[in-house]
Amino acid sequence: VYTHLSGIRAIGAKTQTMAHLLISHRTGRAAASATAVGVAMDLVTRKAVPIAPERRARLERFLLRG
């Protein structure tokens, strides 16, 4: 059995970096970790665009502190 923890590690002008961690209930230690970078995209032009202020505000609620 594992506990899954996720959050936003950083928010850039056009990107967000997400962190994920699985903790083993048996050992209490990290069993796996992952980091992913998401890019805000214009789906028509297929180019990176700045993160909209409304979206940034929603993402900031999940920002990891410390």
Side-chain angles (χ1 to χ4, degrees):
V1 177
Y2 298 91
T3 297
H4 172 235
L5 306 170
S6 290
I8 305 292
R9 182 176 287 162
I11 304 170
K14 299 179 182 181
T15 64
Q16 64 206 32
T17 303
M18 299 156 282
H20 309 281
L21 186 63
L22 285 179
I23 305 292
S24 169
H25 283 216
R26 185 174 58 80
T27 66
R29 301 178 82 180
S33 65
T35 301
V37 176
V39 179
M41 302 269 311
D42 180 313
L43 298 179
V44 174
T45 65
R46 305 294 294 165
K47 299 210 182 254
V49 296
I51 295 174
E54 309 81 35
R55 181 179 177 116
R56 179 177 296 280
R58 288 192 308 269
L59 290 170
E60 286 175 348
R61 293 191 327 230
F62 301 100
L63 198 56
L64 298 171
R65 308 288 178 193

